[in-house]
Amino acid sequence: MFRTALRNVLAHKARLLMTMVAVLLGVAFVVGTLVFTDTVGNAYKERYLTTLRNVSVQVTPPFDQESGEPGTAGEDTLRRLQRLPGVASVTGSVKGFAAVAAKDGRPLAEDKVSMAGNYFPQADGKDDRHPLITGRAPTGPDEVLVDTSTADQGGYKVGDTVRLAIDGPVLHKKLVGIVRTDDTSGSGGTAVFFDNATAQNLLLKPGQYDGFSLNAERGASEQRLATEARDLLPKDSEISTGAQLREQQRAEAAEGTDGLGQVLLVFAAIALFVGIFVIGNTFTMLVTQRSQEVALMRAVGAERRQVTRSVLIEAALLGLSAGAAGFLLGIGVAMAMRQLFASTGSGVPDGPLVVAPGTVLVSFLVGVVVTMLAAYLPARRAASVPPVAALSTLHTPPPARSLRRRNALGVALIVIGVLGVVFAASSGETGRTIVLFPSALLLIGIIVVTPALSGPAIALAGPLLRRFGVPGTLALGNARRNPRRTASTASALMIGLSMVTGLTVVAVSATTSLHQRAENTVTADFEISSRRSDYLPASVHDALAKSTAVTSLSPRRQSVVRMGDNELNLTGVDARSIGDLLDPSFASGSLAALGAGGGKNLLIDTTTADTYGLAMGRRVPVVYGDGSRDTLRIGGIYHNDEFLPTTMMPLATLQPHLKEIEDTSVLVHTKDGDGETVRRSLQRALDQNPLIRLRNTDDLADSAGGGAITLLLNMLYGLLAMAVVIAVLGVVNTLAMSVFERTREIGMLRAVGLQPEQTRRMIHLESVLISLFGALLGIGAGIFLGWAAGRMVSDSIQGYEMVVPWGRIAAALAGAALVGVVAGLWPARRAARLNVLTALKAD
């Protein structure tokens, strides 16, 4: 039986090629995921080993509770640590923030890490934390280093002048060197480094460090060093040995990598699940085509188990070949994944590919097991054909009872799945943990009843197909001839498109809701704020007020006041212009209250009102930061919104009690809208300071999550593309083998006058019909699942409303039709080129 299986594989190489491709793509996804996660894990491990190579003990002073800033220690602490027995060297650390502009003035890495630090040379003149790639170390306050990422993004080279800002005006520093650092490696962020004294002056305080790294002499105990260092440091200082740091960071990296690997493996499982339909279809048709051969084997004494074993051996050989090819392709997939994640600024470090022995075993195991599972039912079906019936070429259709039982099972699964999904959707966040199971039941139920749906659904297309004449009528009959095969082919495409549609519905609904709410709430063209998330100097507001592009503006200035035993953060706004810049949705009152009541009216959001038990019209005694007392009246309550402050009051009332005039942000309305030309004009008015961020309503919505959702959706599209490609191969494979199965029939049609062009059109129409049928099923299921997922995330996204992206759905249908056209090219060409006489003689 093994020789028989091997002969069948070699005899049907072309027929099995598409099936093998479907399997190897699924295997490649699994292997690529495993190689990628192993590679990233090893890269993190090596990165931490490199970063901590010369760190035997790391010391961090305790957090300063009074100032609310990280703790520091001075030069005296550094010298005491250097004198400890067994210490080879001590590195003082200074870290902070610095926004960097490119050579053309545009801000770099606005939404990424923008760090600054000190270059701390040891006795050899080098800082092992930041190896120099080119140039030299900085030696004065006007010199700076940047990392390779910053140099590449900004177009800088040694000798250029770097524009940067830390907490105020733009600074201009000469670039004297470029270093490699792990702090921003792969993240797309920026890093600049000053000489030690300059870094302390700019980022901390003169002579102060925010931490120390001790490098022990050979043979010295890290634990003993840590114990001795503790006696030299303030109480509650955090002290860790190098071994503890490496283990901690390895665990954190492994946890993150494992989570990513699990997500990727879910999509690999979807691709393999889709591949099962392709494999099952292929072996079903192969078994049907070899029915006489199987019957002859049974007639000469082969048992049912031997026939089943022969088909399974054939599947195993195919799985082995697909596993080997999938393993090689999987390495390429891993490399592509690494490039993809690096391009998104995810911070994935570089490193050599890691192919573990277990990955090799998994590739072959997955390929063989998946193929044999998919081929099992066709193998059983082959063994159950009576020899006499097969030899006489009597092909009896499946009994009606089996279809009834299948339909009953499918309907039951759909009902259970729908009820389960609806229950999960109504359960809010708790439903997220249970929704996957009923969703899977729903999709499986649809797959089970698809044969019953295919007949009526395809019949609906009859009037349209008949307009194509004889080819359309024949295509309709061919698609309806074998409901099981049509359903199985369509189901593969349905699974992929249901995932794509569901994700699209949720993502488009979330981003649309965010953007709509931002546009409705913030009527200003731009919000100007600091990238450090603290305060802007009043000079920013003054510069904007002088700009001819600005028609109205309002700063937002804050102060904490006492309200009985509680503290409340008040936000002062310009009562005259705020109506042009914000449009809150009020539960009671209006913005007009800010200009009334002698400047004593306070507007609050609903959350603040509920928290402090405040109601419309209530008078609230407050104590300002300077000790002054006042009584404010609740003049309006608006619905809370992340684009609005929690309180608003007239700036003229709040400002006299402020110790410093600083703005959390400035809202501006311009005469020419929020386009790029206006943005550049405002940036020039602000000296192109990279510390200052200008955001329009689209930017605000993206920062609130819209941008991350879009990026995630695009990545998920890429991951699901593998399943869709496999589904397309399934359509090609089914049509190609169907053409082979109908060779004699096509020959007869050609003999009675069907032209080659009509033959091609018949196959193309059948392919498009099956593809559209699967697409419609997938889109319908995807919209329902998208609705359920939206219900579960609606609590996390304020104002979430389901939006059906009809444009993208139409594009998906058009894509499905295109898939049908492309998938039918080879089978249609093969059918049209059949020799009529040869086809008529076919069995």
Side-chain angles (χ1 to χ4, degrees):
M1 299 310 294
F2 178 80
R3 288 196 300 271
T4 301
L6 182 60
R7 178 181 60 79
N8 285 329
V9 170
L10 296 176
H12 304 110
K13 294 187 292 292
R15 303 184 206 175
L16 295 173
L17 178 62
M18 289 295 178
T19 305
M20 178 177 168
V21 171
V23 179
L24 76 86
L25 284 176
V27 171
F29 206 161
V30 174
V31 171
T33 297
L34 295 175
V35 172
F36 173 72
T37 51
D38 288 343
T39 298
V40 171
N42 182 71
Y44 274 117
K45 173 184 173 183
E46 293 300 321
R47 170 176 166 178
Y48 293 139
L49 287 176
T50 301
T51 305
L52 300 172
R53 182 178 60 245
N54 295 324
V55 177
S56 304
V57 176
Q58 184 167 290
V59 175
T60 304
F63 190 82
D64 190 337
Q65 299 293 341
E66 291 185 8
S67 65
E69 305 246 346
T72 61
E75 294 285 351
D76 54 339
T77 303
L78 174 68
R79 287 191 291 270
R80 287 199 298 269
L81 292 172
Q82 289 173 329
R83 289 195 293 267
L84 281 175
V87 171
S89 63
V90 179
T91 299
S93 169
V94 178
K95 289 185 179 180
F97 170 89
V100 184
K103 288 181 68 173
D104 59 8
R106 58 186 171 83
L108 293 179
E110 285 192 286
D111 298 319
K112 305 291 176 61
V113 175
S114 297
M115 66 152 293
N118 65 326
Y119 189 83
F120 193 96
Q122 298 294 337
D124 59 359
K126 298 179 181 179
D127 186 340
D128 291 335
R129 301 173 302 168
H130 316 302
L132 273 166
I133 302 299
T134 183
R136 60 173 176 81
T139 57
D142 295 326
E143 296 180 345
V144 71
L145 301 173
V146 302
D147 72 329
T148 52
S149 173
T150 306
D152 292 341
Q153 293 180 71
Y156 286 117
K157 60 181 183 298
V158 173
D160 289 338
T161 298
V162 178
R163 295 169 52 85
L164 58 94
I166 294 174
D167 58 3
V170 176
L171 304 176
H172 299 84
K173 305 288 184 181
K174 181 180 179 182
L175 180 62
V176 296
I178 298 174
V179 300
R180 185 178 68 250
T181 179
D182 291 318
D183 293 306
T184 58
S185 175
S187 68
T190 61
V192 296
F193 302 97
F194 309 95
D195 70 273
N196 197 54
T198 303
Q200 290 174 330
N201 291 334
L202 292 175
L203 304 175
L204 293 177
K205 297 176 182 177
Q208 295 295 301
Y209 299 93
D210 56 23
F212 303 96
S213 298
L214 283 65
N215 180 24
E217 294 177 345
R218 185 182 298 274
S221 167
E222 291 185 348
Q223 193 61 52
R224 183 180 61 80
L225 265 184
T227 302
E228 293 179 352
R230 186 175 298 279
D231 297 334
L232 305 178
L233 295 163
K235 184 181 178 182
D236 298 328
S237 294
E238 183 179 342
I239 300 178
S240 303
T241 64
Q244 291 172 333
L245 290 171
R246 286 185 284 271
E247 184 59 35
Q248 176 186 346
Q249 294 184 340
R250 280 174 184 165
E252 292 175 356
E255 182 179 353
T257 305
D258 290 344
L260 176 61
Q262 290 172 7
V263 171
L264 294 175
L265 284 175
V266 168
F267 287 94
I270 293 172
L272 286 171
F273 183 64
V274 171
I276 286 176
F277 292 95
V278 181
I279 303 165
N281 254 359
T282 301
F283 277 94
T284 297
M285 288 186 284
L286 285 175
V287 165
T288 302
Q289 293 166 14
R290 300 205 308 260
S291 57
Q292 290 184 341
E293 176 187 329
V294 172
L296 181 60
M297 292 170 59
R298 292 287 312 281
V300 297
E303 299 179 357
R304 288 189 175 188
R305 281 182 296 179
Q306 290 177 302
V307 174
T308 302
R309 193 180 307 143
S310 172
V311 178
L312 291 178
I313 290 174
E314 190 176 338
L317 292 174
L318 178 67
L320 280 171
S321 302
F327 170 73
L328 296 176
L329 181 60
I331 295 176
V333 170
M335 296 174 66
M337 284 184 180
R338 188 168 63 174
Q339 288 298 114
L340 172 65
F341 278 84
S343 66
T344 59
S346 60
V348 174
D350 293 329
L353 283 177
V354 176
V355 182
T359 302
V360 182
L361 178 63
V362 166
S363 66
F364 289 97
L365 188 63
V366 169
V368 172
V369 170
V370 168
T371 309
M372 291 182 69
L373 283 175
Y376 179 72
L377 288 179
R380 290 289 302 271
R381 195 175 298 120
S384 64
V385 176
V388 175
L391 286 170
S392 59
T393 66
L394 295 176
H395 302 285
T396 57
R401 181 182 177 187
S402 65
L403 288 176
R404 286 198 298 268
R405 283 188 298 180
R406 173 173 177 154
N407 293 340
L409 175 62
V411 170
L413 290 174
I414 290 174
V415 170
I416 295 172
V418 168
L419 293 176
V421 169
V422 171
F423 174 76
S426 62
S427 302
E429 292 187 5
T430 58
R432 299 177 190 179
T433 59
I434 61 174
V435 72
L436 289 178
F437 180 68
S439 298
L441 288 182
L442 172 61
L443 293 177
I444 293 172
I446 294 174
I447 292 168
V448 172
V449 301
T450 301
L453 297 174
S454 63
I458 291 174
L460 291 174
L464 180 62
L465 286 175
R466 291 190 184 97
R467 294 185 179 182
F468 292 91
V470 173
T473 304
L474 293 173
L476 182 66
N478 292 334
R480 298 182 65 182
R481 177 182 302 180
N482 192 331
R484 291 171 181 267
R485 182 188 303 167
T486 299
S488 184
T489 306
S491 295
L493 196 58
M494 182 269 289
I495 295 295
L497 281 180
S498 66
M499 299 291 104
V500 170
T501 303
L503 292 171
T504 302
V505 167
V506 176
V508 170
S509 299
T511 54
T512 301
S513 299
L514 284 170
H515 282 269
Q516 190 64 47
R517 188 156 48 83
E519 290 177 3
N520 292 340
T521 303
V522 182
T523 53
D525 291 311
F526 289 98
E527 179 196 73
I528 291 87
S529 59
S530 170
R531 288 179 56 192
R532 292 194 67 176
S533 300
D534 45 20
Y535 295 97
L536 293 169
S539 58
V540 171
H541 173 266
D542 297 339
L544 291 169
K546 296 175 184 178
S547 173
T548 57
V550 176
T551 57
S552 61
L553 76 165
S554 171
R556 295 202 298 194
R557 296 172 183 166
Q558 293 184 336
S559 177
V560 176
V561 300
R562 297 287 304 174
M563 187 179 65
D565 295 330
N566 301 309
E567 289 187 344
L568 182 63
N569 195 12
L570 298 185
T571 301
V573 296
D574 191 327
R576 296 168 298 176
S577 61
I578 196 65
D580 296 331
L581 306 168
L582 294 177
D583 186 16
S585 172
F586 276 87
S588 56
S590 68
L591 273 177
L594 289 177
K600 301 298 183 179
N601 281 336
L602 173 66
L603 308 183
I604 59 176
D605 66 8
T606 50
T607 300
T608 303
D610 294 339
T611 301
Y612 296 100
L614 301 177
M616 182 69 180
R618 178 174 172 179
R619 297 188 178 277
V620 182
V622 298
V623 180
Y624 293 107
D626 61 357
S628 302
R629 297 179 178 274
D630 201 353
T631 300
L632 303 177
R633 175 182 174 274
I634 306 300
I637 300 176
Y638 53 90
H639 296 288
N640 63 294
D641 194 300
E642 61 193 293
F643 301 115
L644 294 172
T646 57
T647 64
M648 285 187 283
M649 67 177 295
L651 182 61
T653 303
L654 180 65
Q655 185 160 307
H657 306 288
L658 299 178
K659 294 180 180 179
E660 296 183 33
I661 306 301
E662 294 178 324
D663 301 330
T664 57
S665 65
V666 178
L667 298 172
V668 300
H669 202 292
T670 69
K671 60 183 178 182
D672 295 320
D674 62 353
E676 284 303 311
T677 302
V678 179
R679 186 192 295 266
R680 287 193 293 270
S681 173
L682 295 178
Q683 286 174 334
R684 286 193 296 271
L686 297 171
D687 195 25
Q688 292 185 316
N689 192 326
L691 181 67
I692 299 174
R693 177 168 51 196
L694 283 76
R695 295 185 294 183
N696 58 19
T697 52
D698 287 339
D699 299 327
L700 290 172
D702 288 341
S703 66
I709 292 172
T710 301
L711 176 61
L712 178 62
L713 179 64
N714 291 333
M715 293 179 63
L716 295 180
Y717 278 165
L719 296 175
L720 284 171
M722 191 76 76
V724 176
V725 169
I726 294 174
V728 172
L729 291 174
V731 178
V732 177
N733 208 21
T734 300
L735 289 172
M737 302 194 75
S738 178
V739 167
F740 179 86
E741 191 178 74
R742 304 198 311 259
T743 298
R744 187 172 183 180
E745 175 189 323
I746 294 171
M748 293 179 64
L749 291 171
R750 292 288 308 282
V752 297
L754 192 69
Q755 298 300 311
E757 181 59 34
Q758 290 177 308
T759 306
R760 278 194 291 268
R761 189 175 301 135
M762 174 185 71
I763 300 299
H764 276 305
L765 289 173
E766 182 182 352
S767 177
V768 170
L769 188 60
I770 293 173
S771 297
L772 287 176
F773 174 53
L776 288 171
L777 286 178
I779 289 171
I783 291 175
F784 173 70
L785 293 177
W787 165 82
R791 285 288 302 273
M792 287 182 285
V793 302
S794 59
D795 292 340
S796 305
I797 303 176
Q798 185 181 354
Y800 179 92
E801 291 184 4
M802 179 177 171
V803 175
V804 179
W806 295 114
R808 298 196 186 193
I809 287 176
L813 283 174
L818 180 62
V819 163
V821 172
V822 173
L825 286 175
W826 178 54
R829 182 172 178 271
R830 188 168 182 267
R833 297 183 65 181
L834 283 175
N835 183 281
V836 176
L837 294 178
T838 303
L840 288 172
K841 292 188 293 183
D843 293 331

